[in-house]
């Protein structure tokens, strides 16, 4: 059973993911009016929608849980004193979002002294809501979900990469995965692909360099669905990029070895 405080946190996170998703969906339907800023690359975009959706989430969290820390992609880190840290990606999959594709989501995660704690991911266009809290199982639109059984070849693998990773690094990873017989796909949202690992739609997900806000919620979903995740650094490391990987138990070791995520990151 969740204690009262964590039950309140989970309930607010679910409500906020839906409200944030509704706001993002309004922007999505009038995306032609958005001023798009390319941060560094055509896949690295931001607009008013990202900032406003994060503001909606953060101000509600500030009000309800002023002692909790918050880390978000658009508005950074605000320290707390409770030991509970919210980790927010207001729109994961901004490139698909701005290009009119359905593969984007709101991702609200959290961690505490014991690691990943809460994960809520809402994909508005698909109307799919993934919810998990440590020790409580994981659900999709209210129904329990489980990661797949079987190894890397038991289904599709999700892959991600961004322009900060050397093309050779990505090419090597894909070559070795294909040589191992893994079938892979890439959708525009890493957070959503992690949720799909939890839902048994993908065998795993791997990306050489991501941030905590991309993976925290998905990690909780995968752990609660019986899968495994590559630990994301905590403490000061939480704000820095790191390799991200989650998979069904049967695929995890092979995937980590092929992706060489056991050694120091080589971006
Ligand atoms: C990105 C998406 C993408 C992944 C990138 C992320 P954003 O997040 O998750 O799938 O490959 O590494 O940065 O920028 O859309 O929030
Ligand atoms: Ca992201
Ligand atoms: Ca984002």
């Amino acid at each position: 059973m969740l204690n009262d405080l964590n039950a309140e946190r989970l309930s607010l996170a679910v409500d906020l993911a839906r409200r944030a998703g509704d706001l993002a969906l309004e922007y999505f339907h009038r995306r032609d009016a958005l001023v798009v800023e390319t941060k560094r690359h055509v896949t690295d975009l931001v607009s008013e929608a990202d900032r406003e959706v994060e503001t909606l989430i953060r101000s509600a969290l500030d009000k309800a849980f002023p002692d909790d820390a918050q880390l978000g992609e658009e508005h950074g880190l605000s320290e707390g004193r409770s030991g509970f840290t919210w980790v927010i990606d207001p729109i994961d999959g901004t490139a698909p979002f701005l290009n009119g594709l359905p593969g984007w989501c709101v991702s609200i995660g959290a961690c505490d002294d014991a690691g990943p704690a809460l994960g809520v991911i809402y994909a508005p266009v698909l109307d799919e809501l993934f919810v998990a809290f440590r020790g409580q199982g994981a659900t999709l639109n209210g129904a329990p979900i489980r990661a797949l059984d079987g190894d890397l070849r038991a289904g599709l693998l999700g892959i991600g990469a961004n322009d900060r990773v050397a093309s050779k690094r990505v090419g090597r990873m894909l070559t070795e995965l294909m040589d191992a017989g893994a079938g892979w796909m890439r959708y525009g949202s890493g957070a959503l692909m992690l949720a799909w690992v939890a839902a048994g739609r993908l065998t795993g997900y791997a990306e050489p360099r991501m941030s905590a806000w991309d993976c925290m919620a998905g990690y909780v979903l995968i752990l609660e669905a019986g899968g495994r995740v590559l630990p994301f650094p905590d403490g000061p490391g939480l704000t820095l990029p790191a390799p991200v990987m989650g998979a069904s138990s049967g695929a995890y070791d092979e995937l980590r070895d092929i992706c060489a995520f056991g050694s120091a990151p080589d971006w």
Side-chain angles (χ1 to χ4, degrees):
M1 274 287 284
L2 284 182
N3 65 34
D4 288 351
L5 188 57
N6 284 336
E8 278 172 41
R9 285 173 168 137
L10 182 59
S11 149
L12 180 59
V14 168
D15 176 53
L16 277 176
R18 281 199 179 277
R19 278 164 50 200
D22 290 347
L23 176 61
L25 196 57
E26 281 174 34
Y27 279 115
F28 181 72
H29 288 313
R30 49 189 172 87
R31 62 190 169 276
D32 290 347
L34 287 171
V35 178
V36 179
E37 295 156 43
T38 298
K39 289 197 220 167
R40 311 162 29 97
H41 188 258
V42 71
T43 58
D44 190 18
L45 310 170
V46 69
S47 79
E48 180 197 351
D50 301 78
R51 298 200 187 95
E52 287 305 309
V53 173
E54 187 168 318
T55 298
L56 180 155
I57 296 168
R58 291 179 84 121
S59 42
L61 292 175
D62 271 339
K63 211 163 154 195
F65 304 108
D67 291 339
D68 291 352
Q70 295 179 19
L71 173 65
E73 177 171 21
E74 308 304 336
H75 300 302
L77 176 70
S78 54
E79 306 277 356
R81 332 179 258 180
S82 66
F84 196 89
T85 303
W86 295 91
V87 185
I88 305 149
D89 195 340
I91 299 177
D92 185 72
T94 298
F97 176 95
L98 291 171
N99 286 287
L101 296 165
W104 54 272
C105 63
V106 174
S107 179
I108 303 178
C111 55
D112 59 17
D113 294 345
L118 172 154
V120 179
I121 289 182
Y122 182 51
V125 179
L126 309 169
D127 193 24
E128 290 195 329
L129 177 71
F130 300 84
V131 178
F133 200 101
R134 188 175 54 229
Q136 305 300 307
T139 59
L140 163 53
N141 288 348
I145 49 175
R146 293 298 295 168
L148 280 176
D149 287 328
D151 68 11
L152 209 48
R153 287 150 292 271
L156 273 177
L157 173 71
I159 287 294
N162 58 48
D163 69 293
R164 291 180 176 86
V165 181
S167 54
K168 274 193 185 142
R169 169 72 172 100
V170 181
R172 195 167 66 235
M173 187 171 100
L174 292 179
T175 302
E176 289 183 24
L177 284 168
M178 291 168 77
D179 286 349
W184 59 273
M185 53 83 78
R186 196 253 198 285
Y187 210 60
S189 162
L192 201 49
M193 284 188 275
L194 288 166
W196 290 346
V197 175
R201 294 172 176 176
L202 296 175
T203 53
Y205 180 74
E207 177 154 351
R209 186 189 201 272
M210 275 185 126
S211 297
W213 48 80
D214 299 308
C215 69
M216 188 62 67
Y219 270 18
V220 181
L221 284 157
I222 292 173
L223 290 169
E224 287 304 309
R228 293 175 65 191
V229 302
L230 190 75
F232 198 90
D234 55 11
L238 190 68
T239 59
L240 302 173
V244 162
M245 194 190 110
S248 61
S249 299
Y252 183 91
D253 287 336
E254 188 181 3
L255 183 58
R256 187 198 50 210
D257 292 347
I258 290 176
C259 296
F261 288 165
S263 45
D266 57 344
W267 303 314

